[in-house]
Amino acid sequence: TGASLLSGSQDVTINVDGVARSTTSVHVVGGAQYTVVLAGDKLFLHQDTAGNEVPVLWQVPQYLVVTMGEILFSITGYEFAYTEAPDSMKAVIQACWLLTTAFGSAIIIAITAIFQFESDATALFVFGTMLVVVFMLFLFVTRGYKYREKREEEEEADVAGTDMDTDPLLRRRSEVGPGSSPASVSSSV
């Protein structure tokens, strides 16, 4: 069974069936893992992993930055996928958004397994370079994208403008005002 000890010198007593078998003084380091071996009445302590000298609270800023980035990116992506998807395909597009996250994770796993980076700095450089390349590709692919609202407004304007210009019957109908007759309009055209 596991036990928690504070850093520093500790007196450790091993009880077997409620009877104290061995007591010894050991020096433990915070964050390290130990294996305790009881041989007869002697207690042996083996340090399995090195202790941590960096406090666990140093992880808080990293988790905050990653969490804020994930929240900003995910919410923006979900909102974009939902508003730009056709009404009948909103759930499918949301699933595709989540699938891209899965593909991204699979790519990271594959690259890490294939290249076996010697240092974290090399891995960060490779992934940072990939990020810049994908960002440039994203800019190239999306440069002509029109949002759904603007597309719908342009389609309505195109339909109204094109029909009015090319169809003389529609143009005549729009010129007929209240109190004028189509005959008087057609004679002037």
Side-chain angles (χ1 to χ4, degrees):
T1 61
S4 296
L5 298 173
L6 298 174
S7 296
S9 294
Q10 303 286 326
D11 289 331
V12 177
T13 303
I14 301 295
N15 294 317
V16 177
D17 295 330
V19 178
R21 292 282 307 267
S22 177
T23 300
T24 187
S25 181
V26 294
H27 181 75
V28 293
V29 179
Q33 291 182 345
Y34 296 92
T35 300
V36 178
V37 178
L38 180 62
D41 287 339
K42 291 198 158 216
L43 178 72
F44 298 98
L45 186 70
H46 175 71
Q47 185 174 353
D48 298 329
T49 60
N52 294 330
E53 297 188 16
V54 178
V56 73
L57 290 177
W58 278 107
Q59 294 179 4
V60 171
Q62 284 83 7
Y63 274 101
L64 284 176
V65 169
V66 169
T67 301
M68 288 187 307
E70 184 70 23
I71 288 170
L72 293 173
F73 186 72
S74 290
I75 290 174
T76 304
Y78 282 131
E79 190 268 340
F80 179 77
Y82 185 80
T83 57
E84 295 297 304
D87 291 336
S88 62
M89 295 189 64
K90 291 194 184 292
V92 173
I93 299 300
Q94 292 290 328
C96 290
W97 170 257
L98 293 173
L99 193 60
T100 60
T101 305
F103 284 144
S105 297
I107 290 170
I108 296 297
I109 291 169
I111 289 172
T112 305
I114 291 170
F115 293 110
Q116 298 292 324
F117 298 111
E118 293 180 16
S119 69
D120 290 340
T122 305
L124 282 173
F125 178 76
V126 168
F127 292 131
T129 303
M130 288 174 51
L131 175 72
V132 170
V133 169
V134 169
F135 177 70
M136 293 300 176
L137 180 66
F138 176 78
L139 287 178
F140 176 75
V141 169
T142 60
R143 70 178 189 263
Y145 184 80
K146 293 182 181 176
Y147 286 96
R148 186 176 181 191
E149 270 182 13
K150 291 182 182 178
R151 281 195 313 260
E152 289 171 355
E153 288 173 6
E154 288 177 3
E155 287 172 2
E156 289 173 5
D158 286 345
V159 167
T162 304
D163 289 341
M164 294 294 287
D165 294 337
T166 59
D167 190 349
L169 183 59
L170 286 177
R171 185 177 33 198
R172 284 187 191 126
R173 285 185 187 158
S174 68
E175 293 172 353
V176 174
S180 62
S181 66
S184 64
V185 173
S186 64
S187 63
S188 63
V189 176

